[in-house]
Amino acid sequence: MAVRLFSTVAGLRCYLDLSWGKQPRSSDSPSNPMPIPALEIGFVPTMGALHTGHLSLIERARRENKLVVVSIFVNPLQFAPGEDFSRYPRQLERDRSLCEGAGVDVLFTPTPEEMGVTASDQTHIQPPQALVSGLCGRSRPGHFEGVATIVTKLLNLVQPDRSYFGQKDAQQVAIIRRLVQDLKLPVEIIACPIIREANGLALSSRNQYLSDEEKIQATALYQGLANAQNLFRTGERSSATLVQAVKLELANVPVIHPEYIELVDPMTLKPLETVTDEGLLALAARIGSTRLIDNCVLRGSYGVAPNANRQPMIAIDGPAGAGKSTVARKVAEVLGLFYLDTGAMYRALTWFILKSGVDLGDEPTVAELASQCQIDFVNTPSPSVFVNGEDVTQAIRTPEVTARVSAIAAQGAVRAVLVRQQQHYGQRGGIVIDGRDIGTHVFPDAEVKIFLTASIAERARRRQVDLKNLGQSDVTLGDLERAIAERDRQDSTRAISPLRKADDAIEIKSDNLTIEEVLGAIVTLYQAKTASLLV
Ligand code: AMP
């Protein structure tokens, strides 16, 4: 379908309102008194002159949402006098056809008047000084206030479920995350990896200003970061030494004038003297009259230095019945990692909700309880699960909990709360976790991603064996195959967290493999990954 182009707020809002009206209402929980809208909107704000970096954001938005909105707005608020506002590349026709090719539904191209940014006196968003005053903020006063103001307006207009930003603009990502958190905007901010030329140069609309020779010279920016990253991998954690590695590389190219090279905390942007968990190594430099930025995130990896707390983690996704949780548990045991039992988390929450006696179909109340339910795992003296300090290890295995857990897990707000708790657990790495969207959504940065599958026939055969062991020998293979095929269809087409293999996941089809062989394959992959991080 052709991309719809709107340049006014009225057109955009009318289109979005009508799209909501056309959406089928979710039937995930039939007892729910309030209809749940199933439309999911992914939003990619840009300034146009689209390149493969922008397209990577759009592709991700396309994969994860029903409707994709891209905006193109060269925002005057974020350019200081004397900066390149008037000569910034504007290529609407080309951008439109790129959006069309990428399956964008709506392209929003407002004028500055339409966005209300031309009046001298207007409401501005002021992010915390600590975030806007350092790095690029030092030479671009007012820039991030301009970005924050326009992004807030756009998020209000589009009201997306998810909005996609490039890690290329790492300071911008930190500021927008904070803005969304502080203003309580109901949107998920997703940062996407930096897309580079084959020679390492980060793609940017401003690369158009560079001559061919400058483009080659500019690769020193990436090379400097790569040198620091290599040092980091060998165990170097001192900010001064890592920054010096970048400086040395840039010093080889006299036409490059560095503006800053700094190592900061990726969230707070506070300068770091050493990296413990994570550091953002960011730089800005001028080549001729062009200002370029680039960065890399340095993450502690297993066993490298005393303070390197982050161990690689393993995310295992795959269809139901492929043996994910059995395998995940064993992998964790063999590798001495922590098995984050997401099933137990849903059970624990279900127990908490049942205990409170509320109507399970009352989603807003369930959501409220979910966010007051702190789930903890303790491994010694024996593996136990706690809810708000109470040991519920036995209580979450009752038939009552078993009977209700899937209805609770189907609720969007419940998933959102538990995904946040899972991500919190995963911050330090060293976990094995299985599910449907772990590698694609919960931990897109997981170091080892596995997609564990088996044919429908094989899964039906295994299920039949399990059922026979439970004394049920009257279920036919045909029935089981049909049920599994239907479950696969539902899982891969769900509005919330559909099953999908992450692009960088390794697929293991277990039809002709024993559990030990699957286990061996994953352990080998993990050990190889750990070794590569230690290089
Ligand atoms: P811009 O049009 O420069 O405002 O960029 C729009 C979005 O695309 C921002 O979130 C940028 O961070 C992102 N972006 C720009 N260049 C890249 C790149 N090379 N890789 C990934 N994302 C990028």
Side-chain angles (χ1 to χ4, degrees), residues 354-386:
L354 284 172
K355 191 179 95 154
S356 71
V358 304
D359 171 3
L360 302 190
D362 179 355
E363 292 202 15
T365 304
V366 169
E368 198 151 87
L369 284 173
S371 62
Q372 294 162 354
C373 176
Q374 173 62 42
I375 301 165
D376 290 299
F377 291 93
V378 174
N379 266 352
T380 43
S382 59
S384 319
V385 189
F386 286 78

PDB file of all heavy atoms in Angstrom, residues 354-386:
ATOM      1  N   LEU A 354      -4.307 -13.581  42.816  1.00  0.00           N
ATOM      2  CA  LEU A 354      -5.349 -14.440  43.393  1.00  0.00           C
ATOM      3  C   LEU A 354      -5.508 -14.139  44.881  1.00  0.00           C
ATOM      4  O   LEU A 354      -6.613 -14.055  45.404  1.00  0.00           O
ATOM      5  CB  LEU A 354      -4.972 -15.914  43.206  1.00  0.00           C
ATOM      6  CG  LEU A 354      -5.160 -16.473  41.794  1.00  0.00           C
ATOM      7  CD1 LEU A 354      -4.568 -17.875  41.689  1.00  0.00           C
ATOM      8  CD2 LEU A 354      -6.644 -16.488  41.415  1.00  0.00           C
ATOM      9  N   LYS A 355      -4.371 -13.935  45.558  1.00  0.00           N
ATOM     10  CA  LYS A 355      -4.405 -13.688  46.994  1.00  0.00           C
ATOM     11  C   LYS A 355      -5.182 -12.406  47.306  1.00  0.00           C
ATOM     12  O   LYS A 355      -5.893 -12.299  48.297  1.00  0.00           O
ATOM     13  CB  LYS A 355      -2.974 -13.573  47.532  1.00  0.00           C
ATOM     14  CG  LYS A 355      -2.916 -13.585  49.049  1.00  0.00           C
ATOM     15  CD  LYS A 355      -1.496 -13.487  49.546  1.00  0.00           C
ATOM     16  CE  LYS A 355      -1.159 -12.043  49.843  1.00  0.00           C
ATOM     17  NZ  LYS A 355      -0.124 -11.832  50.818  1.00  0.00           N
ATOM     18  N   SER A 356      -5.048 -11.421  46.395  1.00  0.00           N
ATOM     19  CA  SER A 356      -5.687 -10.132  46.669  1.00  0.00           C
ATOM     20  C   SER A 356      -7.194 -10.187  46.419  1.00  0.00           C
ATOM     21  O   SER A 356      -7.915  -9.269  46.784  1.00  0.00           O
ATOM     22  CB  SER A 356      -5.053  -9.059  45.797  1.00  0.00           C
ATOM     23  OG  SER A 356      -5.464  -9.300  44.479  1.00  0.00           O
ATOM     24  N   GLY A 357      -7.644 -11.244  45.722  1.00  0.00           N
ATOM     25  CA  GLY A 357      -9.076 -11.450  45.543  1.00  0.00           C
ATOM     26  C   GLY A 357      -9.740 -10.562  44.501  1.00  0.00           C
ATOM     27  O   GLY A 357     -10.962 -10.484  44.442  1.00  0.00           O
ATOM     28  N   VAL A 358      -8.960  -9.885  43.630  1.00  0.00           N
ATOM     29  CA  VAL A 358      -9.602  -9.028  42.628  1.00  0.00           C
ATOM     30  C   VAL A 358     -10.073  -9.866  41.429  1.00  0.00           C
ATOM     31  O   VAL A 358      -9.649 -11.012  41.251  1.00  0.00           O
ATOM     32  CB  VAL A 358      -8.656  -7.906  42.109  1.00  0.00           C
ATOM     33  CG1 VAL A 358      -8.137  -7.090  43.265  1.00  0.00           C
ATOM     34  CG2 VAL A 358      -7.531  -8.475  41.272  1.00  0.00           C
ATOM     35  N   ASP A 359     -10.926  -9.267  40.617  1.00  0.00           N
ATOM     36  CA  ASP A 359     -11.399  -9.924  39.398  1.00  0.00           C
ATOM     37  C   ASP A 359     -10.224 -10.008  38.412  1.00  0.00           C
ATOM     38  O   ASP A 359      -9.661  -8.980  38.028  1.00  0.00           O
ATOM     39  CB  ASP A 359     -12.542  -9.072  38.826  1.00  0.00           C
ATOM     40  CG  ASP A 359     -12.976  -9.531  37.449  1.00  0.00           C
ATOM     41  OD1 ASP A 359     -12.434 -10.551  36.964  1.00  0.00           O
ATOM     42  OD2 ASP A 359     -13.852  -8.866  36.864  1.00  0.00           O
ATOM     43  N   LEU A 360      -9.878 -11.210  37.993  1.00  0.00           N
ATOM     44  CA  LEU A 360      -8.697 -11.375  37.136  1.00  0.00           C
ATOM     45  C   LEU A 360      -8.862 -10.696  35.785  1.00  0.00           C
ATOM     46  O   LEU A 360      -7.896 -10.401  35.093  1.00  0.00           O
ATOM     47  CB  LEU A 360      -8.403 -12.852  36.902  1.00  0.00           C
ATOM     48  CG  LEU A 360      -8.154 -13.722  38.119  1.00  0.00           C
ATOM     49  CD1 LEU A 360      -7.635 -15.078  37.701  1.00  0.00           C
ATOM     50  CD2 LEU A 360      -7.176 -13.059  39.065  1.00  0.00           C
ATOM     51  N   GLY A 361     -10.101 -10.461  35.382  1.00  0.00           N
ATOM     52  CA  GLY A 361     -10.336  -9.802  34.089  1.00  0.00           C
ATOM     53  C   GLY A 361     -10.291  -8.285  34.191  1.00  0.00           C
ATOM     54  O   GLY A 361     -10.354  -7.597  33.173  1.00  0.00           O
ATOM     55  N   ASP A 362     -10.162  -7.755  35.381  1.00  0.00           N
ATOM     56  CA  ASP A 362     -10.139  -6.302  35.562  1.00  0.00           C
ATOM     57  C   ASP A 362      -8.694  -5.829  35.329  1.00  0.00           C
ATOM     58  O   ASP A 362      -7.904  -5.666  36.258  1.00  0.00           O
ATOM     59  CB  ASP A 362     -10.624  -5.974  36.985  1.00  0.00           C
ATOM     60  CG  ASP A 362     -10.608  -4.479  37.266  1.00  0.00           C
ATOM     61  OD1 ASP A 362     -10.141  -3.707  36.402  1.00  0.00           O
ATOM     62  OD2 ASP A 362     -11.055  -4.090  38.362  1.00  0.00           O
ATOM     63  N   GLU A 363      -8.362  -5.617  34.066  1.00  0.00           N
ATOM     64  CA  GLU A 363      -6.960  -5.392  33.702  1.00  0.00           C
ATOM     65  C   GLU A 363      -6.320  -4.192  34.396  1.00  0.00           C
ATOM     66  O   GLU A 363      -5.166  -4.267  34.809  1.00  0.00           O
ATOM     67  CB  GLU A 363      -6.801  -5.306  32.184  1.00  0.00           C
ATOM     68  CG  GLU A 363      -7.062  -6.646  31.537  1.00  0.00           C
ATOM     69  CD  GLU A 363      -6.425  -6.799  30.162  1.00  0.00           C
ATOM     70  OE1 GLU A 363      -5.541  -5.991  29.818  1.00  0.00           O
ATOM     71  OE2 GLU A 363      -6.828  -7.708  29.446  1.00  0.00           O
ATOM     72  N   PRO A 364      -7.025  -3.063  34.527  1.00  0.00           N
ATOM     73  CA  PRO A 364      -6.356  -1.937  35.206  1.00  0.00           C
ATOM     74  C   PRO A 364      -5.964  -2.283  36.646  1.00  0.00           C
ATOM     75  O   PRO A 364      -4.873  -1.930  37.093  1.00  0.00           O
ATOM     76  CB  PRO A 364      -7.416  -0.824  35.174  1.00  0.00           C
ATOM     77  CG  PRO A 364      -8.284  -1.174  34.011  1.00  0.00           C
ATOM     78  CD  PRO A 364      -8.316  -2.663  33.956  1.00  0.00           C
ATOM     79  N   THR A 365      -6.845  -2.998  37.356  1.00  0.00           N
ATOM     80  CA  THR A 365      -6.505  -3.366  38.736  1.00  0.00           C
ATOM     81  C   THR A 365      -5.355  -4.370  38.745  1.00  0.00           C
ATOM     82  O   THR A 365      -4.434  -4.287  39.570  1.00  0.00           O
ATOM     83  CB  THR A 365      -7.745  -3.958  39.448  1.00  0.00           C
ATOM     84  OG1 THR A 365      -8.786  -2.990  39.355  1.00  0.00           O
ATOM     85  CG2 THR A 365      -7.471  -4.264  40.899  1.00  0.00           C
ATOM     86  N   VAL A 366      -5.395  -5.319  37.795  1.00  0.00           N
ATOM     87  CA  VAL A 366      -4.314  -6.301  37.705  1.00  0.00           C
ATOM     88  C   VAL A 366      -2.992  -5.584  37.425  1.00  0.00           C
ATOM     89  O   VAL A 366      -1.949  -5.885  38.018  1.00  0.00           O
ATOM     90  CB  VAL A 366      -4.627  -7.361  36.620  1.00  0.00           C
ATOM     91  CG1 VAL A 366      -3.409  -8.219  36.330  1.00  0.00           C
ATOM     92  CG2 VAL A 366      -5.791  -8.241  37.066  1.00  0.00           C
ATOM     93  N   ALA A 367      -3.044  -4.567  36.525  1.00  0.00           N
ATOM     94  CA  ALA A 367      -1.828  -3.816  36.194  1.00  0.00           C
ATOM     95  C   ALA A 367      -1.280  -3.118  37.429  1.00  0.00           C
ATOM     96  O   ALA A 367      -0.068  -3.095  37.672  1.00  0.00           O
ATOM     97  CB  ALA A 367      -2.130  -2.789  35.105  1.00  0.00           C
ATOM     98  N   GLU A 368      -2.201  -2.568  38.232  1.00  0.00           N
ATOM     99  CA  GLU A 368      -1.770  -1.860  39.438  1.00  0.00           C
ATOM    100  C   GLU A 368      -1.092  -2.826  40.411  1.00  0.00           C
ATOM    101  O   GLU A 368      -0.032  -2.533  40.949  1.00  0.00           O
ATOM    102  CB  GLU A 368      -2.991  -1.200  40.087  1.00  0.00           C
ATOM    103  CG  GLU A 368      -2.636  -0.124  41.050  1.00  0.00           C
ATOM    104  CD  GLU A 368      -3.729   0.915  41.122  1.00  0.00           C
ATOM    105  OE1 GLU A 368      -4.662   0.721  41.914  1.00  0.00           O
ATOM    106  OE2 GLU A 368      -3.641   1.902  40.392  1.00  0.00           O
ATOM    107  N   LEU A 369      -1.709  -3.993  40.577  1.00  0.00           N
ATOM    108  CA  LEU A 369      -1.107  -4.986  41.482  1.00  0.00           C
ATOM    109  C   LEU A 369       0.242  -5.459  40.932  1.00  0.00           C
ATOM    110  O   LEU A 369       1.197  -5.644  41.682  1.00  0.00           O
ATOM    111  CB  LEU A 369      -2.047  -6.192  41.624  1.00  0.00           C
ATOM    112  CG  LEU A 369      -3.260  -5.976  42.522  1.00  0.00           C
ATOM    113  CD1 LEU A 369      -4.201  -7.164  42.437  1.00  0.00           C
ATOM    114  CD2 LEU A 369      -2.820  -5.774  43.971  1.00  0.00           C
ATOM    115  N   ALA A 370       0.296  -5.638  39.607  1.00  0.00           N
ATOM    116  CA  ALA A 370       1.536  -6.134  38.999  1.00  0.00           C
ATOM    117  C   ALA A 370       2.692  -5.200  39.337  1.00  0.00           C
ATOM    118  O   ALA A 370       3.800  -5.636  39.643  1.00  0.00           O
ATOM    119  CB  ALA A 370       1.380  -6.264  37.486  1.00  0.00           C
ATOM    120  N   SER A 371       2.414  -3.885  39.304  1.00  0.00           N
ATOM    121  CA  SER A 371       3.535  -2.981  39.552  1.00  0.00           C
ATOM    122  C   SER A 371       3.845  -2.854  41.042  1.00  0.00           C
ATOM    123  O   SER A 371       4.810  -2.201  41.408  1.00  0.00           O
ATOM    124  CB  SER A 371       3.294  -1.616  38.901  1.00  0.00           C
ATOM    125  OG  SER A 371       2.169  -1.054  39.468  1.00  0.00           O
ATOM    126  N   GLN A 372       3.040  -3.498  41.895  1.00  0.00           N
ATOM    127  CA  GLN A 372       3.365  -3.512  43.334  1.00  0.00           C
ATOM    128  C   GLN A 372       3.898  -4.878  43.756  1.00  0.00           C
ATOM    129  O   GLN A 372       3.970  -5.181  44.939  1.00  0.00           O
ATOM    130  CB  GLN A 372       2.102  -3.197  44.160  1.00  0.00           C
ATOM    131  CG  GLN A 372       1.623  -1.778  43.936  1.00  0.00           C
ATOM    132  CD  GLN A 372       0.171  -1.582  44.370  1.00  0.00           C
ATOM    133  OE1 GLN A 372      -0.514  -2.525  44.728  1.00  0.00           O
ATOM    134  NE2 GLN A 372      -0.275  -0.344  44.327  1.00  0.00           N
ATOM    135  N   CYS A 373       4.221  -5.713  42.774  1.00  0.00           N
ATOM    136  CA  CYS A 373       4.630  -7.096  43.072  1.00  0.00           C
ATOM    137  C   CYS A 373       6.119  -7.256  42.763  1.00  0.00           C
ATOM    138  O   CYS A 373       6.512  -7.328  41.600  1.00  0.00           O
ATOM    139  CB  CYS A 373       3.784  -8.038  42.204  1.00  0.00           C
ATOM    140  SG  CYS A 373       4.211  -9.756  42.336  1.00  0.00           S
ATOM    141  N   GLN A 374       6.924  -7.268  43.803  1.00  0.00           N
ATOM    142  CA  GLN A 374       8.369  -7.415  43.599  1.00  0.00           C
ATOM    143  C   GLN A 374       8.737  -8.891  43.725  1.00  0.00           C
ATOM    144  O   GLN A 374       8.558  -9.492  44.780  1.00  0.00           O
ATOM    145  CB  GLN A 374       9.111  -6.557  44.628  1.00  0.00           C
ATOM    146  CG  GLN A 374      10.623  -6.746  44.654  1.00  0.00           C
ATOM    147  CD  GLN A 374      11.280  -6.357  43.329  1.00  0.00           C
ATOM    148  OE1 GLN A 374      10.914  -5.342  42.720  1.00  0.00           O
ATOM    149  NE2 GLN A 374      12.209  -7.171  42.849  1.00  0.00           N
ATOM    150  N   ILE A 375       9.228  -9.443  42.623  1.00  0.00           N
ATOM    151  CA  ILE A 375       9.554 -10.878  42.625  1.00  0.00           C
ATOM    152  C   ILE A 375      11.066 -11.041  42.764  1.00  0.00           C
ATOM    153  O   ILE A 375      11.827 -10.392  42.037  1.00  0.00           O
ATOM    154  CB  ILE A 375       9.071 -11.521  41.309  1.00  0.00           C
ATOM    155  CG1 ILE A 375       7.557 -11.303  41.175  1.00  0.00           C
ATOM    156  CG2 ILE A 375       9.417 -13.014  41.284  1.00  0.00           C
ATOM    157  CD1 ILE A 375       7.030 -11.568  39.791  1.00  0.00           C
ATOM    158  N   ASP A 376      11.480 -11.882  43.683  1.00  0.00           N
ATOM    159  CA  ASP A 376      12.919 -12.125  43.867  1.00  0.00           C
ATOM    160  C   ASP A 376      13.209 -13.618  43.849  1.00  0.00           C
ATOM    161  O   ASP A 376      12.383 -14.413  44.295  1.00  0.00           O
ATOM    162  CB  ASP A 376      13.393 -11.543  45.206  1.00  0.00           C
ATOM    163  CG  ASP A 376      13.379 -10.029  45.163  1.00  0.00           C
ATOM    164  OD1 ASP A 376      14.098  -9.471  44.320  1.00  0.00           O
ATOM    165  OD2 ASP A 376      12.620  -9.413  45.934  1.00  0.00           O
ATOM    166  N   PHE A 377      14.392 -13.933  43.339  1.00  0.00           N
ATOM    167  CA  PHE A 377      14.837 -15.329  43.351  1.00  0.00           C
ATOM    168  C   PHE A 377      16.023 -15.442  44.298  1.00  0.00           C
ATOM    169  O   PHE A 377      16.904 -14.584  44.288  1.00  0.00           O
ATOM    170  CB  PHE A 377      15.297 -15.750  41.954  1.00  0.00           C
ATOM    171  CG  PHE A 377      14.165 -15.831  40.969  1.00  0.00           C
ATOM    172  CD1 PHE A 377      13.846 -14.742  40.166  1.00  0.00           C
ATOM    173  CD2 PHE A 377      13.417 -16.989  40.840  1.00  0.00           C
ATOM    174  CE1 PHE A 377      12.803 -14.806  39.257  1.00  0.00           C
ATOM    175  CE2 PHE A 377      12.368 -17.066  39.929  1.00  0.00           C
ATOM    176  CZ  PHE A 377      12.064 -15.976  39.132  1.00  0.00           C
ATOM    177  N   VAL A 378      16.014 -16.505  45.079  1.00  0.00           N
ATOM    178  CA  VAL A 378      17.153 -16.750  45.967  1.00  0.00           C
ATOM    179  C   VAL A 378      17.600 -18.173  45.684  1.00  0.00           C
ATOM    180  O   VAL A 378      16.771 -19.078  45.591  1.00  0.00           O
ATOM    181  CB  VAL A 378      16.714 -16.600  47.446  1.00  0.00           C
ATOM    182  CG1 VAL A 378      17.846 -17.002  48.371  1.00  0.00           C
ATOM    183  CG2 VAL A 378      16.294 -15.170  47.721  1.00  0.00           C
ATOM    184  N   ASN A 379      18.902 -18.383  45.515  1.00  0.00           N
ATOM    185  CA  ASN A 379      19.365 -19.722  45.130  1.00  0.00           C
ATOM    186  C   ASN A 379      19.844 -20.583  46.282  1.00  0.00           C
ATOM    187  O   ASN A 379      19.941 -21.797  46.137  1.00  0.00           O
ATOM    188  CB  ASN A 379      20.467 -19.611  44.066  1.00  0.00           C
ATOM    189  CG  ASN A 379      19.858 -19.721  42.684  1.00  0.00           C
ATOM    190  OD1 ASN A 379      18.669 -20.018  42.558  1.00  0.00           O
ATOM    191  ND2 ASN A 379      20.660 -19.479  41.672  1.00  0.00           N
ATOM    192  N   THR A 380      20.194 -19.941  47.410  1.00  0.00           N
ATOM    193  CA  THR A 380      20.687 -20.734  48.528  1.00  0.00           C
ATOM    194  C   THR A 380      19.810 -20.534  49.766  1.00  0.00           C
ATOM    195  O   THR A 380      19.312 -19.420  49.956  1.00  0.00           O
ATOM    196  CB  THR A 380      22.134 -20.310  48.898  1.00  0.00           C
ATOM    197  OG1 THR A 380      22.173 -18.887  48.873  1.00  0.00           O
ATOM    198  CG2 THR A 380      23.164 -20.894  47.970  1.00  0.00           C
ATOM    199  N   PRO A 381      19.563 -21.530  50.591  1.00  0.00           N
ATOM    200  CA  PRO A 381      20.131 -22.882  50.481  1.00  0.00           C
ATOM    201  C   PRO A 381      19.505 -23.700  49.346  1.00  0.00           C
ATOM    202  O   PRO A 381      20.129 -24.615  48.839  1.00  0.00           O
ATOM    203  CB  PRO A 381      19.786 -23.505  51.844  1.00  0.00           C
ATOM    204  CG  PRO A 381      18.587 -22.754  52.327  1.00  0.00           C
ATOM    205  CD  PRO A 381      18.701 -21.366  51.790  1.00  0.00           C
ATOM    206  N   SER A 382      18.259 -23.328  48.932  1.00  0.00           N
ATOM    207  CA  SER A 382      17.680 -24.040  47.783  1.00  0.00           C
ATOM    208  C   SER A 382      16.954 -22.996  46.940  1.00  0.00           C
ATOM    209  O   SER A 382      16.592 -21.923  47.447  1.00  0.00           O
ATOM    210  CB  SER A 382      16.696 -25.101  48.277  1.00  0.00           C
ATOM    211  OG  SER A 382      15.694 -24.460  49.032  1.00  0.00           O
ATOM    212  N   PRO A 383      16.757 -23.272  45.625  1.00  0.00           N
ATOM    213  CA  PRO A 383      16.129 -22.273  44.766  1.00  0.00           C
ATOM    214  C   PRO A 383      14.731 -21.897  45.286  1.00  0.00           C
ATOM    215  O   PRO A 383      13.893 -22.776  45.465  1.00  0.00           O
ATOM    216  CB  PRO A 383      16.035 -22.973  43.405  1.00  0.00           C
ATOM    217  CG  PRO A 383      16.967 -24.129  43.476  1.00  0.00           C
ATOM    218  CD  PRO A 383      17.065 -24.513  44.917  1.00  0.00           C
ATOM    219  N   SER A 384      14.520 -20.618  45.532  1.00  0.00           N
ATOM    220  CA  SER A 384      13.234 -20.175  46.086  1.00  0.00           C
ATOM    221  C   SER A 384      12.773 -18.896  45.390  1.00  0.00           C
ATOM    222  O   SER A 384      13.595 -18.135  44.864  1.00  0.00           O
ATOM    223  CB  SER A 384      13.351 -19.864  47.577  1.00  0.00           C
ATOM    224  OG  SER A 384      14.147 -20.804  48.221  1.00  0.00           O
ATOM    225  N   VAL A 385      11.463 -18.701  45.409  1.00  0.00           N
ATOM    226  CA  VAL A 385      10.869 -17.505  44.808  1.00  0.00           C
ATOM    227  C   VAL A 385      10.173 -16.713  45.917  1.00  0.00           C
ATOM    228  O   VAL A 385       9.457 -17.296  46.739  1.00  0.00           O
ATOM    229  CB  VAL A 385       9.812 -17.888  43.746  1.00  0.00           C
ATOM    230  CG1 VAL A 385       9.353 -16.649  42.981  1.00  0.00           C
ATOM    231  CG2 VAL A 385      10.342 -18.947  42.797  1.00  0.00           C
ATOM    232  N   PHE A 386      10.393 -15.401  45.914  1.00  0.00           N
ATOM    233  CA  PHE A 386       9.775 -14.542  46.924  1.00  0.00           C
ATOM    234  C   PHE A 386       8.914 -13.477  46.254  1.00  0.00           C
ATOM    235  O   PHE A 386       9.288 -12.957  45.199  1.00  0.00           O
ATOM    236  CB  PHE A 386      10.859 -13.834  47.753  1.00  0.00           C
ATOM    237  CG  PHE A 386      11.551 -14.735  48.727  1.00  0.00           C
ATOM    238  CD1 PHE A 386      12.536 -15.616  48.299  1.00  0.00           C
ATOM    239  CD2 PHE A 386      11.207 -14.719  50.069  1.00  0.00           C
ATOM    240  CE1 PHE A 386      13.170 -16.462  49.192  1.00  0.00           C
ATOM    241  CE2 PHE A 386      11.835 -15.565  50.975  1.00  0.00           C
ATOM    242  CZ  PHE A 386      12.823 -16.446  50.536  1.00  0.00           C
TER     243      PHE A 386
END
